[in-house]
Amino acid sequence: MASVLKAVRGTRDLLPPETALWSRVEATARAVFSRYGFGEIRTPVFETTDLFARSVGEETDIVSKEMYTWEDRARAASEKAQSLTLRPENTAGVVRAYIEHKLGDTGMLQKLFYLGPQFRRERPQRGRYRQFWQIGAEVIGPASSGSESPIRDAEVIEMLAALLNELGIQGWRLEINSVGSSEDRQRYNAALREALAPVKSQLCEDNQRRAETNPLRVLDSKAPEDQHIINALPKIADYLDEASRVHFAAVLEALTACSVPYHVNHRLVRGLDYYTRTTFEFTVPPSEQDGSGLGTQNALLGGGRYDGLSEMLGGPKAPGIGFAIGEDRLILALQAQAAEVPEKKLDAYIAPMGKAQNPAALSIAKELRAAGLRIEVGDGAFRLKKSFEAADKIARRIVILGEDEFKSGFYIAKDFATSLQRLFTREGLAKALKQKNWQINDPLIRSSDPLKQTVGLRMPALMLLADAKSALSNEELRAFLALALGTPLRDLDQEIIDNMTSQLAKENLVIGSNLGWQITASGRIHLQSEMRKDETSENTD
Ligand code: HAM
């Protein structure tokens, strides 16, 4: 037998019903971004390797060991082979596109958001994948457009707080820092190198390498054995120039004005080299505390300012700020916090009784779907029991479509949650299925046709809640009673109908009490007794 193929390590399939939560998150993000004036950008999934080396930085973990890179062969003598890379993040691609399409020439601030997969060859674990999804946004433009202003930083962060709140993420925490200008960082790097030199040999292997090549990255390290050394290192706040200090203070002031709570974290330098000034992350408490579902991967999102990035990529001066949310992590956090998943069950399952009813079932399903209902259609080859079982799993209600129903123009629908069964006309069906909750005393589904005002329940008998008696024609009454009594239409003779009709005239006369319903003189036909358990074999309660 052929071996079974599986998704590649660190990648996964997202399936329904979970994907409904992904859609809800994405729809909410789009709605929030649009309120803040962002438009969508879609950049390619792969770019030249050089783009990431120059922006994210050669010495970062991402570029030095996590990228999926390949030599793309030249296909013609005139072509050169080039090194390509699956994007590990999207900021570099957005800034490349900004430069390539001369978006700066508009003189306007560009507010762009994106949504899509990113690729990093990290060690997979819960909340960390090799293909993961980001929802991100960038605000970028010439300095004259106000792109450098601290109000942009605060606006982006406030938008994130609004988005997380709207999604129902609980207990988020905003950590914020300033990594200053590139000159500040050079001075700080020198100070770090100096402070690290005497303790370097005590650090883990990775941090020893970082201490040499890019000491700032030591601050990102989560290696537990190195934390006491890292905590004692100089703080970047002491190396900021006046302009960066003033900028950071203004960002914090604006956040306070918007009531966005923050925690300044001097170690938050972030793992990408393009950052200048503001950096931030939103975290949720690790799972031990409240079940965020994220464990150690508790950074929901990260972002910051990158005022020199455009120039690093050969573009014009274009200060910017942005962020990317780890959508996989956001979903895990929402699931752990038991966020409401959208209603999973379909509105109804149409069960044709017999193959001959299949076309009619499909045509009713079409009508109901056109009315906005979510419908599944069974198969007339299924036995009633099987239809009920299938329906109960995926739908809130079942509509039985037998020959009698079809001929009489009435359909029986059962609500699984309440066990209520009601009788509807074809026209009334969509409206009734749209009703969230059925109650025994529900007002009737009204229509100008008195017969269609009839709503009923059958099982163990048909129970009716109707004002319809007075205006029923014999023909209508026949069809109705046939269903009520479970008698084929042809067996209902005039005598029974006359009998019923005359009884209707008497006060509080109970007709068919054994069947559980009664008709009063006012014509109201109502429930005689509590709903009893469906005694038929198709009952699935
Ligand atoms: P980042 O911090 O590298 O920043 O990634 C942002 C978020 O992506 C992280 O906080 C995390 O939630 C998620 N993430 C990263 N790696 C993985 C992974 N392997 N599996 C699952 N989720 C992951 C950036 O990517 C920057 N481009 C953000 C930015 C935009 N800065 C300015 N503009």
Side-chain angles (χ1 to χ4, degrees), residues 62 88-92 114 120 122 127-134 136-138 270-272 274-275 281-282 297 299-306 321-330:
I62 296 177
E89 61 98 57
N90 217 156
T91 308
Y114 50 84
R120 296 183 194 176
E122 294 194 82
R128 193 163 73 194
Y129 310 99
R130 289 180 169 179
Q131 172 172 331
F132 59 98
W133 290 73
Q134 283 188 342
E138 314 292 347
R270 310 251 314 120
L272 300 91
Y274 51 61
Y275 287 116
E281 277 182 11
F282 280 69
Q297 303 302 314
L300 269 192
L301 67 95
R305 184 163 271 291
Y306 43 83
I321 179 157
F323 64 85
I325 303 171
E327 192 177 0
D328 304 73
R329 296 186 188 176
L330 187 63

Short mmCIF file of all heavy atoms in Angstrom, two decimals, residues 62 88-92 114 120 122 127-134 136-138 270-272 274-275 281-282 297 299-306 321-330, ligand 1:
data_model
loop_
_atom_site.label_atom_id
_atom_site.label_comp_id
_atom_site.label_asym_id
_atom_site.label_seq_id
_atom_site.Cartn_x
_atom_site.Cartn_y
_atom_site.Cartn_z
N ILE A 62 15.99 35.20 12.66
CA ILE A 62 15.15 34.97 11.48
C ILE A 62 16.01 34.76 10.24
O ILE A 62 15.90 33.76 9.54
CB ILE A 62 14.16 36.15 11.26
CG1 ILE A 62 13.18 36.24 12.43
CG2 ILE A 62 13.42 35.99 9.94
CD1 ILE A 62 12.21 37.42 12.34
N PRO A 88 9.44 35.72 5.81
CA PRO A 88 9.31 35.38 7.23
C PRO A 88 8.48 36.42 7.97
O PRO A 88 8.10 36.21 9.13
CB PRO A 88 10.76 35.41 7.73
CG PRO A 88 11.44 36.38 6.82
CD PRO A 88 10.73 36.36 5.50
N GLU A 89 8.23 37.53 7.32
CA GLU A 89 7.43 38.62 7.89
C GLU A 89 7.04 39.51 6.73
O GLU A 89 7.53 39.33 5.62
CB GLU A 89 8.21 39.37 8.98
CG GLU A 89 9.49 40.03 8.50
CD GLU A 89 9.29 41.50 8.22
OE1 GLU A 89 8.87 42.22 9.14
OE2 GLU A 89 9.54 41.94 7.08
N ASN A 90 6.17 40.49 6.98
CA ASN A 90 5.59 41.23 5.85
C ASN A 90 5.98 42.71 5.76
O ASN A 90 5.67 43.38 4.78
CB ASN A 90 4.07 41.09 5.89
CG ASN A 90 3.45 40.97 4.51
OD1 ASN A 90 2.37 40.44 4.35
ND2 ASN A 90 4.13 41.45 3.49
N THR A 91 6.67 43.20 6.81
CA THR A 91 7.00 44.63 6.78
C THR A 91 7.97 44.95 5.64
O THR A 91 7.80 45.95 4.92
CB THR A 91 7.62 45.05 8.13
OG1 THR A 91 6.75 44.61 9.17
CG2 THR A 91 7.81 46.55 8.22
N ALA A 92 8.98 44.08 5.46
CA ALA A 92 9.97 44.32 4.41
C ALA A 92 9.29 44.38 3.04
O ALA A 92 9.58 45.27 2.24
CB ALA A 92 11.02 43.22 4.43
N TYR A 114 -2.41 44.03 6.09
CA TYR A 114 -2.26 42.77 5.36
C TYR A 114 -2.63 41.60 6.25
O TYR A 114 -2.69 41.71 7.47
CB TYR A 114 -0.82 42.59 4.85
CG TYR A 114 0.23 42.81 5.93
CD1 TYR A 114 0.59 41.78 6.80
CD2 TYR A 114 0.85 44.05 6.07
CE1 TYR A 114 1.55 41.99 7.78
CE2 TYR A 114 1.81 44.27 7.06
CZ TYR A 114 2.15 43.23 7.91
OH TYR A 114 3.08 43.44 8.89
N ARG A 120 8.75 30.63 8.90
CA ARG A 120 10.02 30.65 9.64
C ARG A 120 10.34 29.22 10.07
O ARG A 120 9.47 28.53 10.61
CB ARG A 120 9.91 31.53 10.91
CG ARG A 120 9.67 32.99 10.59
CD ARG A 120 9.65 33.86 11.84
NE ARG A 120 9.10 35.16 11.50
CZ ARG A 120 8.87 36.14 12.37
NH1 ARG A 120 9.17 35.96 13.65
NH2 ARG A 120 8.37 37.28 11.97
N GLU A 122 11.32 27.61 12.56
CA GLU A 122 11.54 27.55 14.00
C GLU A 122 11.22 26.15 14.49
O GLU A 122 10.59 25.36 13.77
CB GLU A 122 10.62 28.54 14.70
CG GLU A 122 10.96 29.98 14.37
CD GLU A 122 10.26 30.93 15.33
OE1 GLU A 122 10.78 31.13 16.44
OE2 GLU A 122 9.18 31.44 14.96
N GLY A 127 1.61 27.21 19.44
CA GLY A 127 1.71 28.66 19.21
C GLY A 127 2.92 29.06 18.38
O GLY A 127 3.15 30.23 18.14
N ARG A 128 3.69 28.06 17.95
CA ARG A 128 4.84 28.38 17.08
C ARG A 128 4.89 27.39 15.93
O ARG A 128 5.03 26.19 16.14
CB ARG A 128 6.14 28.33 17.89
CG ARG A 128 7.30 28.95 17.13
CD ARG A 128 8.45 29.27 18.03
NE ARG A 128 9.13 28.06 18.45
CZ ARG A 128 10.00 28.00 19.45
NH1 ARG A 128 10.27 29.07 20.16
NH2 ARG A 128 10.58 26.87 19.76
N TYR A 129 4.74 27.91 14.74
CA TYR A 129 4.63 27.05 13.56
C TYR A 129 5.61 27.52 12.50
O TYR A 129 6.14 28.63 12.57
CB TYR A 129 3.19 27.08 13.02
CG TYR A 129 2.19 26.83 14.11
CD1 TYR A 129 1.52 27.89 14.73
CD2 TYR A 129 1.98 25.54 14.59
CE1 TYR A 129 0.64 27.66 15.78
CE2 TYR A 129 1.10 25.30 15.64
CZ TYR A 129 0.44 26.36 16.23
OH TYR A 129 -0.41 26.13 17.27
N ARG A 130 5.82 26.66 11.52
CA ARG A 130 6.73 27.04 10.44
C ARG A 130 5.99 27.81 9.35
O ARG A 130 6.57 28.65 8.68
CB ARG A 130 7.43 25.80 9.90
CG ARG A 130 8.41 25.28 10.95
CD ARG A 130 9.16 24.05 10.52
NE ARG A 130 10.24 23.81 11.47
CZ ARG A 130 11.09 22.79 11.38
NH1 ARG A 130 10.98 21.92 10.40
NH2 ARG A 130 12.04 22.65 12.28
N GLN A 131 4.72 27.50 9.20
CA GLN A 131 3.85 28.41 8.44
C GLN A 131 2.85 28.93 9.44
O GLN A 131 2.12 28.16 10.06
CB GLN A 131 3.13 27.70 7.30
CG GLN A 131 2.09 28.64 6.67
CD GLN A 131 1.44 28.13 5.39
OE1 GLN A 131 2.02 27.38 4.64
NE2 GLN A 131 0.22 28.58 5.16
N PHE A 132 2.85 30.23 9.62
CA PHE A 132 1.90 30.83 10.56
C PHE A 132 1.28 32.05 9.87
O PHE A 132 1.73 32.47 8.82
CB PHE A 132 2.59 31.22 11.87
CG PHE A 132 3.72 32.21 11.69
CD1 PHE A 132 3.52 33.57 11.91
CD2 PHE A 132 4.98 31.79 11.28
CE1 PHE A 132 4.55 34.48 11.73
CE2 PHE A 132 6.02 32.71 11.09
CZ PHE A 132 5.80 34.05 11.32
N TRP A 133 0.24 32.57 10.51
CA TRP A 133 -0.50 33.66 9.86
C TRP A 133 -0.31 34.96 10.63
O TRP A 133 -0.31 34.96 11.86
CB TRP A 133 -1.98 33.31 9.80
CG TRP A 133 -2.24 32.21 8.83
CD1 TRP A 133 -1.94 30.88 9.01
CD2 TRP A 133 -2.80 32.32 7.53
NE1 TRP A 133 -2.29 30.17 7.89
CE2 TRP A 133 -2.83 31.02 6.97
CE3 TRP A 133 -3.30 33.38 6.78
CZ2 TRP A 133 -3.32 30.76 5.70
CZ3 TRP A 133 -3.80 33.12 5.52
CH2 TRP A 133 -3.80 31.83 4.98
N GLN A 134 -0.13 36.01 9.88
CA GLN A 134 -0.07 37.32 10.53
C GLN A 134 -1.17 38.23 9.99
O GLN A 134 -1.53 38.18 8.81
CB GLN A 134 1.28 38.01 10.26
CG GLN A 134 2.43 37.46 11.09
CD GLN A 134 3.70 38.29 10.93
OE1 GLN A 134 3.85 39.06 9.98
NE2 GLN A 134 4.61 38.14 11.87
N GLY A 136 -1.38 42.20 9.98
CA GLY A 136 -0.51 43.31 10.33
C GLY A 136 -0.92 44.60 9.65
O GLY A 136 -1.79 44.60 8.77
N ALA A 137 -0.27 45.67 10.04
CA ALA A 137 -0.53 46.95 9.40
C ALA A 137 0.70 47.84 9.50
O ALA A 137 1.51 47.68 10.42
CB ALA A 137 -1.73 47.63 10.05
N GLU A 138 0.84 48.72 8.53
CA GLU A 138 1.96 49.64 8.51
C GLU A 138 1.43 51.04 8.19
O GLU A 138 0.55 51.19 7.35
CB GLU A 138 2.99 49.24 7.43
CG GLU A 138 3.38 47.76 7.38
CD GLU A 138 4.17 47.27 8.59
OE1 GLU A 138 4.66 48.10 9.39
OE2 GLU A 138 4.28 46.04 8.76
N ARG A 270 13.06 43.75 20.68
CA ARG A 270 12.47 43.04 19.53
C ARG A 270 13.54 42.45 18.62
O ARG A 270 14.63 42.94 18.48
CB ARG A 270 11.54 43.95 18.73
CG ARG A 270 10.53 44.67 19.62
CD ARG A 270 9.13 44.20 19.49
NE ARG A 270 8.69 44.05 18.13
CZ ARG A 270 8.28 42.87 17.63
NH1 ARG A 270 8.22 41.80 18.40
NH2 ARG A 270 7.88 42.79 16.38
N GLY A 271 13.17 41.32 18.01
CA GLY A 271 14.15 40.50 17.30
C GLY A 271 14.44 40.87 15.86
O GLY A 271 14.92 40.05 15.11
N LEU A 272 14.09 42.08 15.45
CA LEU A 272 14.37 42.48 14.08
C LEU A 272 15.16 43.78 14.12
O LEU A 272 14.93 44.63 14.97
CB LEU A 272 13.06 42.68 13.29
CG LEU A 272 12.14 41.45 13.21
CD1 LEU A 272 11.15 41.40 14.34
CD2 LEU A 272 11.41 41.41 11.88
N TYR A 274 15.36 46.37 12.08
CA TYR A 274 14.95 47.65 11.49
C TYR A 274 14.31 48.62 12.47
O TYR A 274 14.01 49.76 12.13
CB TYR A 274 14.04 47.44 10.27
CG TYR A 274 12.84 46.52 10.43
CD1 TYR A 274 11.83 46.79 11.35
CD2 TYR A 274 12.70 45.41 9.60
CE1 TYR A 274 10.72 45.95 11.44
CE2 TYR A 274 11.60 44.57 9.69
CZ TYR A 274 10.60 44.84 10.61
OH TYR A 274 9.51 44.03 10.71
N TYR A 275 14.10 48.20 13.71
CA TYR A 275 13.36 49.07 14.63
C TYR A 275 14.13 50.29 15.08
O TYR A 275 15.34 50.25 15.28
CB TYR A 275 12.90 48.28 15.85
CG TYR A 275 11.77 47.33 15.52
CD1 TYR A 275 11.94 45.96 15.64
CD2 TYR A 275 10.55 47.81 15.07
CE1 TYR A 275 10.91 45.08 15.32
CE2 TYR A 275 9.52 46.94 14.74
CZ TYR A 275 9.70 45.58 14.87
OH TYR A 275 8.69 44.74 14.54
N GLU A 281 4.89 45.16 22.37
CA GLU A 281 4.30 43.82 22.24
C GLU A 281 3.05 43.77 23.09
O GLU A 281 2.96 44.43 24.12
CB GLU A 281 5.28 42.73 22.73
CG GLU A 281 6.28 42.33 21.67
CD GLU A 281 7.24 41.22 22.10
OE1 GLU A 281 7.03 40.60 23.16
OE2 GLU A 281 8.20 41.01 21.35
N PHE A 282 2.08 42.99 22.64
CA PHE A 282 0.91 42.69 23.47
C PHE A 282 1.02 41.22 23.85
O PHE A 282 1.24 40.38 22.97
CB PHE A 282 -0.40 42.90 22.70
CG PHE A 282 -0.85 44.33 22.61
CD1 PHE A 282 -0.15 45.25 21.84
CD2 PHE A 282 -2.00 44.76 23.28
CE1 PHE A 282 -0.58 46.57 21.74
CE2 PHE A 282 -2.44 46.08 23.18
CZ PHE A 282 -1.73 46.98 22.40
N GLN A 297 4.80 30.92 24.46
CA GLN A 297 4.65 31.75 23.26
C GLN A 297 3.54 32.76 23.50
O GLN A 297 2.51 32.74 22.84
CB GLN A 297 4.32 30.88 22.04
CG GLN A 297 5.34 29.80 21.77
CD GLN A 297 6.72 30.36 21.56
OE1 GLN A 297 6.90 31.32 20.82
NE2 GLN A 297 7.71 29.80 22.22
N ALA A 299 3.52 36.10 23.29
CA ALA A 299 3.46 37.36 22.54
C ALA A 299 2.42 37.20 21.43
O ALA A 299 2.60 36.47 20.48
CB ALA A 299 4.81 37.70 21.95
N LEU A 300 1.31 37.91 21.64
CA LEU A 300 0.23 37.85 20.65
C LEU A 300 0.59 38.62 19.40
O LEU A 300 0.20 38.28 18.31
CB LEU A 300 -1.01 38.53 21.21
CG LEU A 300 -2.04 37.76 21.97
CD1 LEU A 300 -3.27 38.63 22.14
CD2 LEU A 300 -2.39 36.49 21.25
N LEU A 301 1.33 39.69 19.63
CA LEU A 301 1.67 40.55 18.50
C LEU A 301 2.85 41.42 18.88
O LEU A 301 3.13 41.64 20.06
CB LEU A 301 0.48 41.43 18.13
CG LEU A 301 0.05 42.50 19.12
CD1 LEU A 301 0.68 43.85 18.81
CD2 LEU A 301 -1.45 42.64 19.11
N GLY A 302 3.54 41.90 17.85
CA GLY A 302 4.67 42.79 18.12
C GLY A 302 4.74 43.84 17.04
O GLY A 302 4.23 43.64 15.93
N GLY A 303 5.37 44.95 17.38
CA GLY A 303 5.49 45.99 16.38
C GLY A 303 6.44 47.07 16.81
O GLY A 303 7.08 46.98 17.87
N GLY A 304 6.53 48.09 15.98
CA GLY A 304 7.39 49.21 16.32
C GLY A 304 7.63 50.10 15.12
O GLY A 304 7.10 49.88 14.03
N ARG A 305 8.46 51.08 15.40
CA ARG A 305 8.78 52.11 14.39
C ARG A 305 10.02 51.69 13.62
O ARG A 305 10.88 50.98 14.17
CB ARG A 305 9.00 53.41 15.17
CG ARG A 305 9.24 54.63 14.39
CD ARG A 305 9.03 55.87 15.24
NE ARG A 305 7.64 56.31 15.18
CZ ARG A 305 7.05 56.83 14.10
NH1 ARG A 305 7.75 56.99 12.98
NH2 ARG A 305 5.79 57.21 14.13
N TYR A 306 10.12 52.07 12.37
CA TYR A 306 11.28 51.70 11.54
C TYR A 306 11.64 52.88 10.64
O TYR A 306 11.53 52.79 9.43
CB TYR A 306 10.99 50.43 10.73
CG TYR A 306 9.61 50.38 10.12
CD1 TYR A 306 9.35 51.01 8.91
CD2 TYR A 306 8.56 49.74 10.76
CE1 TYR A 306 8.09 50.99 8.35
CE2 TYR A 306 7.30 49.70 10.21
CZ TYR A 306 7.05 50.33 9.01
OH TYR A 306 5.80 50.30 8.46
N ILE A 321 5.59 53.09 11.12
CA ILE A 321 5.35 52.26 12.30
C ILE A 321 4.31 51.21 11.95
O ILE A 321 3.41 51.47 11.13
CB ILE A 321 4.90 53.09 13.52
CG1 ILE A 321 4.64 52.16 14.71
CG2 ILE A 321 3.68 53.96 13.22
CD1 ILE A 321 4.73 52.82 16.05
N GLY A 322 4.46 50.04 12.56
CA GLY A 322 3.48 48.99 12.26
C GLY A 322 3.54 47.88 13.27
O GLY A 322 4.24 47.98 14.29
N PHE A 323 2.79 46.85 12.98
CA PHE A 323 2.73 45.70 13.90
C PHE A 323 2.30 44.48 13.12
O PHE A 323 1.80 44.60 11.98
CB PHE A 323 1.70 45.95 15.01
CG PHE A 323 0.30 46.07 14.47
CD1 PHE A 323 -0.48 44.94 14.24
CD2 PHE A 323 -0.22 47.31 14.15
CE1 PHE A 323 -1.75 45.05 13.70
CE2 PHE A 323 -1.50 47.43 13.60
CZ PHE A 323 -2.26 46.30 13.38
N ALA A 324 2.50 43.32 13.71
CA ALA A 324 1.90 42.10 13.17
C ALA A 324 1.38 41.25 14.31
O ALA A 324 2.08 41.02 15.30
CB ALA A 324 2.91 41.32 12.33
N ILE A 325 0.15 40.83 14.16
CA ILE A 325 -0.47 39.94 15.13
C ILE A 325 -0.21 38.51 14.68
O ILE A 325 -0.36 38.21 13.50
CB ILE A 325 -2.01 40.15 15.16
CG1 ILE A 325 -2.35 41.60 15.46
CG2 ILE A 325 -2.67 39.21 16.16
CD1 ILE A 325 -3.84 41.93 15.28
N GLY A 326 0.18 37.64 15.59
CA GLY A 326 0.26 36.21 15.27
C GLY A 326 -1.16 35.65 15.34
O GLY A 326 -1.70 35.44 16.42
N GLU A 327 -1.75 35.44 14.16
CA GLU A 327 -3.17 35.05 14.17
C GLU A 327 -3.37 33.69 14.81
O GLU A 327 -4.35 33.48 15.54
CB GLU A 327 -3.71 35.05 12.73
CG GLU A 327 -5.23 34.95 12.69
CD GLU A 327 -5.81 35.01 11.27
OE1 GLU A 327 -5.04 35.14 10.31
OE2 GLU A 327 -7.04 34.93 11.15
N ASP A 328 -2.41 32.77 14.59
CA ASP A 328 -2.54 31.43 15.21
C ASP A 328 -2.64 31.58 16.73
O ASP A 328 -3.42 30.88 17.39
CB ASP A 328 -1.31 30.58 14.89
CG ASP A 328 -1.07 30.46 13.39
OD1 ASP A 328 -0.63 31.47 12.78
OD2 ASP A 328 -1.34 29.40 12.84
N ARG A 329 -1.81 32.48 17.28
CA ARG A 329 -1.80 32.66 18.74
C ARG A 329 -3.06 33.35 19.22
O ARG A 329 -3.58 33.05 20.29
CB ARG A 329 -0.57 33.48 19.14
CG ARG A 329 0.71 32.74 18.81
CD ARG A 329 1.91 33.46 19.35
NE ARG A 329 3.12 32.83 18.84
CZ ARG A 329 4.34 33.26 19.05
NH1 ARG A 329 4.53 34.35 19.79
NH2 ARG A 329 5.38 32.63 18.55
N LEU A 330 -3.51 34.31 18.44
CA LEU A 330 -4.75 35.01 18.79
C LEU A 330 -5.91 34.01 18.89
O LEU A 330 -6.72 34.04 19.81
CB LEU A 330 -5.03 36.05 17.71
CG LEU A 330 -6.18 37.02 17.94
CD1 LEU A 330 -5.89 37.89 19.15
CD2 LEU A 330 -6.37 37.92 16.72
P1 HAM B 1 7.46 39.51 14.99
O1 HAM B 1 7.54 39.86 16.43
O2 HAM B 1 8.60 38.75 14.42
O3 HAM B 1 7.27 40.88 14.21
O4 HAM B 1 6.13 38.71 14.71
C1 HAM B 1 4.89 39.25 15.08
C2 HAM B 1 4.01 38.18 15.69
O5 HAM B 1 3.93 37.07 14.82
C3 HAM B 1 4.57 37.60 16.97
O6 HAM B 1 4.24 38.40 18.08
C4 HAM B 1 3.85 36.27 17.03
O7 HAM B 1 2.56 36.43 17.58
C5 HAM B 1 3.72 35.91 15.58
N1 HAM B 1 4.73 34.89 15.24
C6 HAM B 1 6.04 35.06 14.97
N2 HAM B 1 6.62 33.89 14.70
C7 HAM B 1 5.67 32.94 14.80
C8 HAM B 1 5.64 31.51 14.62
N3 HAM B 1 6.70 30.83 14.27
N4 HAM B 1 4.46 30.87 14.83
C9 HAM B 1 3.35 31.55 15.17
N5 HAM B 1 3.32 32.88 15.33
C10 HAM B 1 4.46 33.57 15.15
C11 HAM B 1 7.14 40.97 12.86
O8 HAM B 1 6.94 40.04 12.13
C12 HAM B 1 7.13 42.39 12.37
N6 HAM B 1 7.03 42.39 10.89
C13 HAM B 1 6.01 43.18 12.98
C14 HAM B 1 6.02 44.59 12.54
C15 HAM B 1 5.22 45.12 11.60
N7 HAM B 1 6.79 45.56 12.99
C16 HAM B 1 6.53 46.68 12.36
N8 HAM B 1 5.60 46.43 11.50
#
